[in-house]
Every structure is written in C-alpha cells, then in structure tokens.
Amino acid sequence: MSPPGSSLTNQWHPPDNPIPTHTSSYPFISPTKHRGALQDKVVLITGAGRGIGRATALAFAAAGARIACISRTKQDLQTLVAEIRVTHGNLDGGGGDPSHQRALPILGDVTDLSFPARAISETEQNLGPIYILINNAGLSRVSDLEHEADIRQPWKVVETNLLGAMSFTQSAIPSMIARNSGVIINVVSILGKLGVSSPYFSAYAASKAGVEKYTEVIDLELRPKGIVTFAVHPCMSLETSIAVGCMNEVARREEPGVGRFMDEFVVANTDKVDLPADTFVALCVEEGAKALSGRFVDATYDLEEQIRLAKER
C-alpha cells in the first residue's frame, strides 16, 4: 500500500515530467529579484485576508505595488493592511492622504454582483487605475454526491470561484482596455485539469475547470488589447484556509472513503504559500511571461522553464 499522500502527489507531479518542481520560492521568482519592479502599480487581490491571498499582497507590496485587499473578514483585512503599512510605509511616509496609501482594505463578498463595481471604483478613487487583477477568492467543498443533501452548498463553491472571477474581470477590463495594458491572474487548480481527478471535489473541480477555460477564451479577446491573462494553479499548502469548514461531516461519518481520502489529501499538501505569491509577481514583471498568456501555469513547476517551453511552441 502506498504511504499517505503518495498517490496524490504522483498524480499532481508525474514522475516523467521534464520540468523541475518547487515547494517554495526559488531564485527566478525571488522577491529580491523583483523588489521595486512594480513601483506604484495598483493591484487588486480578492481573498486577500488569509493564506495565498495574504502572501500575495505582501509579495506585491515588496515589489512596490499599491494593493487593494479584498476579504469578507474585517479582522483579517485590518491585520494585513497594518502589516503592509508598517513594513512598506505609505507613499508619503504618512497616513493622512488616501491617495498616498500603500494598501487599501475593502470588505465584501465576491458573490455579491453589485460588489465588484463598487470595489473597483473605491480602488481607483483611492489608489489609482488597476493594472493587475488577481482573482484569488476561493471556496472548497468535500463531499460524496450521495450525502450532499443541499445543492446550495456546492453551488456556493461555483459562485465564489467562477462567478466571482468573472464578475471582477468584467468590471476591471474597461479601464484596462482604455489604457491598452493590464494583467489578470485567475487562480485555478490542478484538480480542475482534464485527466487529473480526485473524488469528493466535484463542485470545486468543476468551478476551477470553468475558470481555466474562461481564461483561455478571454485571452483571445484581451491579448490584442494589451491585456495578458494567466490561469495559475498556486500550490497545495496547509498554510491556506480554503479547506477550513469545507468538509461535509455527514459524508465523513457515512462514507468511510471520504475520511480516508482526506487523510491522504492533507498529508500531500506540502507547499509553501510564498511559492504562488512570488510566481504571481514574476508573471507580472518578466517580459517573457507573456508567452504564457491564456495558458494554464503551474506555480509548482519552474517558471523559467515553462516560459522557455512556451516560446519554443
């Protein structure tokens, strides 16, 4: 019998894969390499309060960006923005003028269809035009189908992951098109890839597959207008809170396979959140990364090699 997590890890990282893999940041995407490279560029990050989103906000702040941090949790936002301001300061070294803020907290739910326009308007008024949009807000659900009694629970996953990304993109692109520049990063998952399947993640996998296809299609429209898009699998990490509260406890009790699967799944989550955070920054800074526009990018695979292979193709 395979040790816990081994079969899952091998599925995500096939042994015959020629591209080197990483579990944490590495020289090509290092923060020291890109420090100040996005000076005063405005970045909007959904799901910024915890895990990958929080690490991403800190990484972009280190690169000199101004960040609109979106979350449903007020305390998480306050803590994050305070850390950014203490570590990186405001543009004038003070805190009086909103236009000089390094980070802006915005409280809201990405499934509220009126929220994206409000959030983008508030960002542009206080920080300036949005140059980078990172659709990171995510929700998961672990359950077998037999014990999923209320369809509204898995549907909330689809609304958060797919509808949230689509609605924020729709609201952000007018000003990007007007300026003929912009970057959109949609956070997807290896679990949404064709040929990579795991049981009990049906809603999550379907929603992430939808985001990936959405990215591929909008790239055909937006790249000629100066906007690049990426669908990025970030990593599998215990440092993110996306799995908190996602378990259908009835399914865990009634279907033994659910519990066994989650035991293996948790053990396999060995990556660090600085890996996707620094990858996102590199995708916005490295000129060669444009070769990956519209494509699926795996942050656990060496980015320099992914760019090289994309250029060859």
Side-chain angles (χ1 to χ4, degrees), residues 6 19 21-22 31 56-57 74 95 97 119 140 153 158 165 174 208 213 219 229 248 269 279 296 305-306 309:
S6 64
I19 304 178
T21 60
H22 303 277
T56 298
K74 184 176 181 179
D97 189 341
S140 188
Q153 291 187 296
V158 178
K208 292 299 187 179
K213 190 64 179 181
D219 176 68
T229 62
N248 180 347
N269 283 250
T279 297
F296 175 86
E305 186 67 4
Q306 289 185 83
L309 291 173

Side-chain angles (χ1 to χ4, degrees), residues 136-150:
N136 167 72
L139 190 65
S140 188
R141 177 72 173 168
V142 179
S143 176
D144 65 343
L145 295 178
E146 182 182 356
H147 298 98
E148 191 66 278
D150 185 353

Side-chain angles (χ1 to χ4, degrees), residues 191-234:
L191 297 179
K193 291 292 290 180
L194 288 176
V196 181
S197 298
S198 294
Y200 315 126
F201 278 95
S202 56
Y204 179 79
S207 66
K208 292 299 187 179
V211 177
E212 182 185 343
K213 190 64 179 181
Y214 175 71
T215 307
E216 178 185 318
V217 172
I218 66 172
D219 176 68
L220 302 175
E221 301 179 35
L222 297 181
R223 199 182 335 175
K225 301 179 187 297
I227 303 167
V228 294
T229 62
F230 306 99
V232 184
H233 164 65

Side-chain angles (χ1 to χ4, degrees), residues 25-35 274 278-279 281-282 286:
S25 192
Y26 52 96
F28 185 73
I29 63 170
S30 171
T32 57
K33 179 181 179 183
H34 299 129
R35 192 169 302 280
D274 66 338
D278 293 343
T279 297
V281 172
E286 297 289 342

Side-chain angles (χ1 to χ4, degrees), residues 16-250:
D16 60 348
N17 170 50
I19 304 178
T21 60
H22 303 277
T23 60
S24 61
S25 192
Y26 52 96
F28 185 73
I29 63 170
S30 171
T32 57
K33 179 181 179 183
H34 299 129
R35 192 169 302 280
L38 294 170
Q39 194 65 39
D40 296 338
K41 296 288 188 182
V42 176
V43 184
L44 186 150
I45 306 169
T46 68
R50 303 176 185 177
I52 292 170
R54 189 177 195 281
T56 298
L58 294 171
F60 275 94
R66 310 171 75 179
I67 304 114
C69 306
I70 291 177
S71 174
R72 294 180 300 173
T73 309
K74 184 176 181 179
Q75 182 60 49
D76 291 340
L77 281 177
Q78 291 175 333
T79 302
L80 170 62
V81 169
E83 181 174 348
I84 291 173
R85 290 173 177 171
V86 167
T87 305
H88 302 286
N90 287 323
L91 302 185
D92 61 354
D97 189 341
S99 67
H100 293 167
Q101 291 179 346
R102 176 68 64 190
L104 175 71
I106 304 178
L107 190 68
D109 188 333
V110 299
T111 65
D112 175 357
L113 291 180
S114 67
F115 177 54
R118 296 200 312 270
I120 286 168
S121 176
E122 185 175 347
T123 300
E124 292 179 340
Q125 289 176 17
N126 288 282
L127 300 181
I130 296 169
Y131 176 63
I132 300 163
L133 168 65
I134 301 179
N135 287 309
N136 167 72
L139 190 65
S140 188
R141 177 72 173 168
V142 179
S143 176
D144 65 343
L145 295 178
E146 182 182 356
H147 298 98
E148 191 66 278
D150 185 353
I151 192 63
R152 287 173 296 184
Q153 291 187 296
W155 185 244
K156 182 68 172 179
V157 174
V158 178
E159 287 185 315
T160 301
N161 298 349
L162 179 54
L163 178 62
M166 292 177 67
S167 59
F168 262 90
T169 298
Q170 197 73 32
S171 295
I173 58 173
S175 63
M176 290 184 176
I177 291 173
R179 290 178 282 108
N180 198 43
S181 67
V183 180
I184 299 172
I185 296 176
N186 291 324
V187 177
V188 294
S189 173
I190 195 69
L191 297 179
K193 291 292 290 180
L194 288 176
V196 181
S197 298
S198 294
Y200 315 126
F201 278 95
S202 56
Y204 179 79
S207 66
K208 292 299 187 179
V211 177
E212 182 185 343
K213 190 64 179 181
Y214 175 71
T215 307
E216 178 185 318
V217 172
I218 66 172
D219 176 68
L220 302 175
E221 301 179 35
L222 297 181
R223 199 182 335 175
K225 301 179 187 297
I227 303 167
V228 294
T229 62
F230 306 99
V232 184
H233 164 65
C235 65
M236 306 299 288
S237 176
L238 292 179
E239 296 178 276
T240 178
S241 61
I242 191 171
V244 175
C246 73
M247 172 63 69
N248 180 347
E249 294 299 336
V250 174

Side-chain angles (χ1 to χ4, degrees), residues 277-300:
D278 293 343
T279 297
F280 297 155
V281 172
L283 285 170
C284 297
V285 174
E286 297 289 342
E287 184 66 23
K290 291 179 179 179
L292 294 168
S293 185
R295 300 186 181 213
F296 175 86
V297 178
D298 190 331
T300 67

